């Protein structure tokens, strides 16, 4: 891009996040150049049109219940902040019970028309191949970022900082693990000696579990995904196919772990490791999987100690470009090593249409505040926006960082004894009060 600069900010990628970021900045009065490669003869393997904010798969924004669901709460917060994605979602809503589902064509047409009509937005159909060295920029190129730009991002962020595939192990809410059966201990008492939660299995339980893994229904890769199996993060069911004892000598080995109920090493074990700083979320170590979601819930609840497990995230493997954001980004989504650049959307490691748009919204608002020379504090962690943002920008464990949906496990826990039935409402009431205070300030 040469010549005289006529915009305040350059947004690259006109998906869910880039469209929302552009809207927030344009509404704040700033000139936006929005570069989208679709429409210039380019396409991602999953998109099918030139429209901005195209939904590449399902037409659902998931639950719209703001009282007892974290994504429903996120919808409510985004509406309160004038979200383009939620406005168009509401206009193009189709019947879907308590979920918000949309007519995908009407929705994407609506987003495209709103941005095309905005006097502060210039949409340029072009592919951008390198990170701009200067000028305020938001990168929102998503899980299928074009390869040359991905290479340029990789060069700027360093080796191993940009992943091209995810390998997601299920994450369990700590409070749903039965600690009468499971116990805290690190293998051979290393580290603090209590770094893992261990769920023991007898020989009979292990053999049954192995057989169920082999029989379980798996999801298929899309032809273009080309997901390789790396030795360190092979799906659990693929490992099971290698032999009945492979798991027992791999992630499920019981050696060095003393079951307090028997005083002996269990025949096999499932270990969970802390996944966020507040210790509300624990991931099942080595359990990345392509099993279908319903199958995962059914099968993993047969593990002793996990009979009542509530999953904050289920496992998966996909092609997915995402950064090690908790290490690389500051609290307002700027690349620490090049603060003229912000990241937004799924490339930051959030997961889902709504979460991507939410992070686009925050990137847009932080950038607008920066241009205006005002300091915009991050939304409080008690809100859905704040919980998601803080997870991405520092709260999550860096080493095991994988894409994440919004869920109550990202929020500061509710202190004191509460009835389970009341807890979700307590989270959402607290969030509404916190958002109100933040907006007032
Ligand atoms: C196959 C697939 C299925 C999915 N299914 C679901 C689902 O059912 N539900 C759900 O909630 N989420 C789903 N997701 C996740 C979904 O992609 C994201 O939630 C969401 O679209 C991400 O928003 P985004 O704005 O970050 O990226 P995108 O919406 O993908 O937008 C990124 C944009 O950047 C453009 N772009 C890329 N590289 C360049 C470049 N170099 N120059 C210019 N433009 C560029 C792309 O063309 C695209 O328009 C799916 C993802 C994939 C890949």
């Amino acid at each position: 891009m040469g010549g005289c600069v006529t915009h305040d900010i350059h947004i690259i990628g006109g998906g869910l996040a880039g469209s929302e970021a552009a809207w927030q900045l344009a509404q704040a009065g700033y000139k936006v150049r929005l570069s989208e490669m679709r429409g210039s003869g380019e396409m991602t393997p999953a998109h099918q049109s030139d429209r901005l904010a195209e939904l590449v798969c399902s037409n659902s924004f998931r639950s719209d219940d703001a009282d007892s669901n974290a994504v429903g709460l996120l919808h409510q917060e985004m509406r309160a902040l004038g979200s383009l994605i939620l406005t168009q979602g509401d206009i193009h809503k189709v019947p879907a019970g308590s979920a918000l589902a949309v007519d995908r064509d009407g929705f994407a047409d609506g987003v495209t028309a709103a941005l095309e009509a905005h006097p502060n937005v210039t949409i340029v159909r072009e592919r951008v191949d390198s990170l701009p060295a200067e000028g305020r920029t938001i990168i929102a190129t998503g899980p299928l970022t074009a390869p040359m730009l991905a290479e340029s991002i990789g060069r700027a962020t360093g080796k191993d900082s940009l992943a091209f595939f995810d390998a997601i192990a299920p994450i369990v809410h700590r409070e749903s693990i039965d600690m009468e059966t499971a116990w805290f201990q690190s293998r051979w008492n290393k580290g603090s000696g209590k770094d893992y939660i261990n769920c023991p299995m007898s020989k009979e339980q292990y053999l049954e579990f192995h057989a169920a893994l082999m029989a379980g229904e798996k999801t298929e890769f899309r032809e273009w995904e080309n997901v390789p199996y790396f030795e360190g993060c092979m799906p659990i069911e693929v490992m099971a196919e290698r032999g009945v004892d492979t798991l027992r000598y791999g992630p499920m080995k019981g050696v060095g772990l003393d079951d307090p109920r028997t005083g002996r090493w269990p025949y096999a074990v499932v270990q969970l490791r802390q996944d966020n700083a507040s210790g509300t979320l624990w991931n099942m170590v080595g359990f990345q999987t392509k099993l279908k979601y319903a199958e995962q819930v059914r099968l993993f609840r047969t593990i002793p100690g996990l009979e009542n497990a509530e999953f904050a995230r289920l496992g998966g493997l996909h092609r997915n470009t995402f950064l090690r954001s908790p290490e690389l980004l500051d609290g307002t989504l700027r690349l620490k090593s090049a603060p003229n650049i912000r990241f937004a959307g799924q490339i930051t490691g959030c997961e889902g249409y709504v979460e991507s748009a939410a992070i686009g919204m925050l990137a847009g608002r932080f950038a607008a505040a920066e241009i205006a020379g005002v300091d915009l504090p991050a939304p409080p962690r008690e809100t859905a926006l704040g919980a998601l943002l803080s997870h991405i920008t520092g709260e999550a464990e860096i080493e095991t960082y994988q894409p994440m949906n919004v869920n109550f496990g990202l929020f500061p826990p509710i202190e004191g004894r509460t009835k389970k039935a009341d807890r979700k409402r307590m989270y959402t009431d607290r969030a509404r009060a916190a958002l109100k205070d933040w907006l007032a300030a």
Side-chain angles (χ1 to χ4, degrees):
M1 231 176 24
C4 95
V5 175
T6 55
H7 53 268
D8 297 302
I9 186 150
H10 185 191
I11 299 180
I12 305 175
L16 277 297
S19 297
E20 185 66 62
W23 182 255
Q24 296 294 324
L25 278 146
Q27 288 290 85
Y30 300 110
K31 299 275 182 208
V32 177
R33 178 187 177 103
L34 177 58
S35 297
E36 168 51 57
M37 71 178 185
R38 288 178 294 118
S40 70
E42 300 284 336
M43 196 53 88
T44 78
H47 289 83
Q48 296 189 349
S49 79
D50 296 349
R51 297 183 185 109
L52 303 179
E54 182 186 325
L55 305 179
V56 289
C57 189
S58 142
N59 67 331
S60 174
F61 288 172
R62 317 202 309 279
S63 173
D64 202 28
D65 175 356
D67 288 335
S68 53
N69 188 289
V71 78
L73 177 68
L74 189 56
H75 292 172
Q76 187 177 59
E77 293 180 0
M78 292 172 72
R79 287 187 183 108
L81 269 68
S83 160
L84 172 64
I85 295 300
L86 262 293
T87 301
Q88 290 298 327
D90 288 335
I91 292 172
H92 298 283
K93 183 177 164 129
V94 296
S98 60
L100 173 60
V102 304
D103 171 323
R104 65 176 70 241
D105 293 333
F107 167 76
D109 280 340
V111 172
T112 308
L115 288 169
E116 278 175 351
H118 204 296
N120 288 339
V121 179
T122 306
I123 301 170
V124 186
R125 300 292 182 161
E126 62 179 355
R127 193 186 73 205
V128 176
D129 287 338
S130 59
L131 276 183
E134 53 191 37
R136 275 200 183 85
T137 307
I138 296 177
I139 308 286
T141 45
L144 304 171
T145 295
M148 282 171 77
L149 181 61
E151 270 174 42
S152 171
I153 296 169
R155 277 196 300 277
T157 54
K159 190 172 170 295
D160 299 333
S161 291
L162 185 70
F164 294 96
F165 301 94
D166 55 38
I168 301 177
I171 292 195
V172 181
H173 289 279
R174 160 73 183 80
E175 65 198 12
S176 69
I177 302 174
D178 173 12
M179 297 307 292
E180 296 288 312
T181 302
W183 76 99
F184 283 103
Q185 191 189 2
S186 323
R187 202 181 299 284
W188 309 116
N189 295 316
K190 286 193 174 153
S192 76
K194 293 180 184 290
D195 291 346
Y196 290 78
I197 292 176
N198 302 285
C199 300
M201 277 188 186
S202 65
K203 181 173 181 181
E204 194 183 24
Q205 286 167 329
Y206 174 79
L207 292 177
E208 262 176 42
F209 183 75
H210 178 266
L213 263 184
M214 300 280 285
E217 214 184 330
K218 286 93 189 171
T219 50
E220 298 298 327
F221 287 120
R222 292 172 176 85
E223 203 182 311
W224 50 265
E225 278 190 305
N226 248 342
V227 178
Y229 292 147
F230 299 109
E231 271 303 315
C233 50
M234 182 158 305
I236 189 97
E237 62 278 4
V238 174
M239 231 182 285
E241 280 166 15
R242 293 188 164 182
V244 69
D245 284 327
T246 308
L247 286 171
R248 209 164 68 81
Y249 292 115
M252 294 182 71
K253 65 175 175 279
V255 295
L257 294 166
D258 311 303
D259 184 341
R261 289 178 314 164
T262 62
R264 299 169 62 110
W265 296 349
Y267 187 77
V269 77
V270 175
Q271 289 200 295
L272 295 103
R273 184 173 47 221
Q274 190 171 330
D275 201 72
N276 65 345
S278 46
T280 51
L281 298 176
W282 288 68
N283 75 62
M284 295 173 65
V285 179
F287 268 62
Q288 50 283 345
T289 177
K290 287 288 286 179
L291 286 172
K292 291 202 163 161
Y293 282 174
E295 197 79 335
Q296 292 186 38
V297 173
R298 189 188 63 75
L299 184 56
F300 297 155
R301 281 191 182 151
T302 66
I303 296 169
L306 300 187
E307 293 86 349
N308 298 309
E310 295 293 335
F311 295 92
R313 182 182 78 187
L314 287 162
L317 271 95
H318 317 93
R319 191 167 142 198
N320 192 355
T321 315
F322 68 99
L323 286 173
R324 246 153 96 109
S325 298
E327 184 177 48
L328 297 172
L329 303 185
D330 72 10
T332 70
L333 299 160
R334 288 182 305 194
L335 190 59
K336 289 177 190 163
S337 59
N340 62 314
I341 292 173
R342 279 193 163 77
F343 282 86
Q346 188 143 322
I347 198 166
T348 64
C350 63
E351 165 89 24
Y353 301 144
V354 183
E355 287 86 342
S356 297
I359 296 301
M361 166 177 257
L362 290 175
R365 288 193 158 231
F366 283 132
E370 193 177 81
I371 300 170
V374 291
D375 188 24
L376 177 66
R381 257 196 77 202
E382 287 76 13
T383 64
L385 283 164
L388 187 61
L389 177 74
S390 59
H391 182 77
I392 291 169
T393 57
E395 177 74 7
E397 283 293 324
I398 293 170
E399 291 309 319
T400 53
Y401 189 61
Q402 289 288 327
M404 185 59 118
N405 285 130
V406 69
N407 66 78
F408 289 125
L410 306 183
F411 293 59
I414 301 275
E415 298 300 340
R417 286 181 77 79
T418 53
K419 278 206 218 125
K420 199 176 167 196
D422 298 339
R423 209 170 304 144
K424 289 178 179 170
R425 187 62 198 239
M426 291 170 85
Y427 276 115
T428 59
D429 283 346
R430 187 181 66 175
R432 277 182 282 273
L435 188 77
K436 201 166 153 213
D437 290 348
W438 182 67
L439 286 174

